[in-house]
Amino acid sequence: MSDAARHTVTFDESASGERLDRALALALPALTRSRVKALIEGRRVTLADGTTIEEPSRKVKTGDRFVVDIPEPEPATPLPQALALDILYEDSDLLVLDKPAGLVVHPAPGNPDHTLVNALLAHCGDSLSGIGGVRRPGIVHRLDKNTSGVMVVAKNDRAHQALSKLFAAHDLTRIYQALVWGEPKPRTGTIDAAIGRHPVDRKRMTVRKTSGRAAVTEYWLEKRFGPALHPLASLVGARLGTGRTHQVRVHLAHIGCPVVGDPVYGRKSRNTAAPEALKEFPRQALHAARLEFRHPTTHKVMSFATELPQDFKKLVASLNGVK
């Protein structure tokens, strides 16, 4: 089997009821079951009619016909790619930047290149810290692809270790701005709710009562839009007390105010009065607005803040006239 190929597999009654990842691994012996599972979760397996399959546990039926698309192998290490970076500060130890929405932080299935790491390798060269591993050099923390805002990157291993300790101890300030549906009640508060993997959908995080890791988010109302009694949406600030995956998105959804445009934890508005710009915003309206930390070498407190990106700012402006 070549490294890059397309294979069509049709199952007879002998495979009926079998898990798809196991059945395909048996039908294509050059692929391990874990490799097949990764291909399915990477949207590389479809039915003959073109329908994408994303559930490795899907049960096979007699006569099912699947197309398995095996991509070209990715480079063992990311390649330098000259991409524009909005750098806020840089010295020999670290670099602080304003990440745009749409930019993936590091290579991953489905995003093998044109990531922040590729851009950093081109900008920093061999000085970039290697502690994060070959695929994540310099990366101390990350923002989701469609979240914009301030990030710090380590340029050497000593800085990486020091910054990682700050993030692990939550000994720094991380503040987000989010446009959410409705209005948080109370208008200011602290969400103290453990977060863990969803028991069914492993790609999602959720609040867990009996398991999960401690997660704390302080929030406050900055502005609300729409009727006083039933606001349509609100701009809120959120300070992270911990740093769990998708923490702000999960916690705001937990209190009934999901982030506008969030494809995983959000919702579609049934409010006919909601502007189309609000209902159709193409990403989560979430921005890492401020990052404050102590420099690993000078020990000076450094603070960085950025404005909302243009698409987010335009969305908020469109709501100012909503009554």
Side-chain angles (χ1 to χ4, degrees):
M1 182 180 296
S2 63
D3 289 332
R6 175 168 290 183
H7 300 271
T8 301
V9 178
T10 303
F11 293 109
D12 58 23
E13 63 277 2
S14 65
S16 181
E18 187 65 81
R19 280 178 59 111
L20 178 59
D21 54 356
R22 177 175 169 79
L24 285 175
L26 291 172
L28 302 171
L31 299 178
T32 64
R33 182 172 172 181
S34 60
R35 173 64 168 146
V36 170
K37 182 178 180 181
L39 289 170
I40 295 171
E41 292 179 341
R43 300 175 62 84
R44 293 284 183 173
V45 177
T46 64
L47 287 170
D49 64 4
T51 302
T52 300
I53 306 301
E54 298 183 65
E55 303 83 24
S57 61
R58 176 192 174 106
K59 302 300 183 183
V60 170
K61 298 179 182 178
T62 301
D64 273 351
R65 188 181 184 193
F66 294 91
V67 177
V68 182
D69 184 20
I70 304 172
E72 292 281 354
E74 297 176 6
T77 57
L79 300 175
Q81 292 174 315
L83 306 174
L85 294 174
D86 185 0
I87 297 173
L88 306 176
Y89 174 84
E90 182 175 10
D91 61 24
S92 60
D93 290 313
L94 55 86
L95 179 153
V96 180
L97 59 93
D98 187 5
K99 187 190 87 66
L103 180 65
V104 176
V105 170
H106 56 74
N111 294 284
D113 56 12
H114 289 88
T115 69
L116 176 58
V117 161
N118 297 106
L120 290 170
L121 287 170
H123 179 79
C124 300
D126 295 336
S127 71
L128 205 61
S129 166
I131 288 181
V134 294
R135 288 198 174 269
R136 305 183 186 186
I139 302 302
V140 181
H141 67 122
R142 71 181 187 89
L143 297 177
D144 296 326
K145 174 182 178 180
N146 287 320
T147 297
S148 56
V150 186
M151 283 188 63
V152 61
V153 174
K155 293 179 65 176
N156 56 60
D157 288 349
R158 184 180 55 79
H160 199 298
Q161 290 174 329
L163 289 169
S164 293
K165 288 180 180 178
L166 291 180
F167 277 87
H170 316 301
D171 188 18
L172 73 173
T173 299
R174 301 172 70 183
I175 294 177
Y176 286 73
Q177 285 181 295
L179 188 69
V180 303
W181 290 106
E183 178 187 15
K185 294 181 180 180
R187 294 183 180 181
T188 62
T190 299
I191 306 166
D192 187 349
I195 291 176
R197 289 284 174 188
H198 193 283
V200 176
D201 186 349
R202 304 300 290 175
K203 294 182 180 180
R204 290 168 54 99
M205 308 301 289
T206 189
V207 167
R208 303 296 299 267
K209 293 183 178 180
T210 57
S211 61
R213 301 177 68 188
V216 178
T217 304
E218 177 188 352
Y219 72 88
W220 56 90
L221 176 69
E222 294 188 355
K223 190 173 183 179
R224 61 181 186 176
F225 306 94
L229 293 179
H230 301 287
L232 181 62
S234 301
L235 184 65
V236 301
R239 185 195 307 268
L240 294 187
T242 52
R244 308 304 175 210
T245 300
H246 299 171
Q247 179 173 318
V248 176
R249 297 162 64 191
V250 172
H251 271 176
L252 291 176
H254 178 63
I255 63 171
C257 295
V259 176
V260 168
D262 191 329
V264 179
Y265 307 104
R267 66 178 184 224
K268 288 288 185 180
S269 174
R270 296 191 180 93
N271 191 328
T272 56
E276 287 301 312
L278 187 64
K279 292 190 289 185
E280 303 300 329
F281 197 63
R283 67 175 181 91
Q284 63 256 20
L286 183 63
H287 178 66
R290 183 179 165 202
L291 178 64
E292 185 175 290
F293 59 92
R294 193 173 295 277
H295 193 285
T297 299
T298 67
H299 305 296
K300 177 183 177 181
V301 174
M302 308 188 74
S303 183
F304 302 91
T306 57
E307 295 183 352
L308 295 175
Q310 285 301 314
D311 63 338
F312 196 152
K313 192 179 295 185
K314 183 177 179 182
L315 177 62
V316 171
S318 73
L319 297 173
N320 284 327
V322 176
K323 297 180 180 180

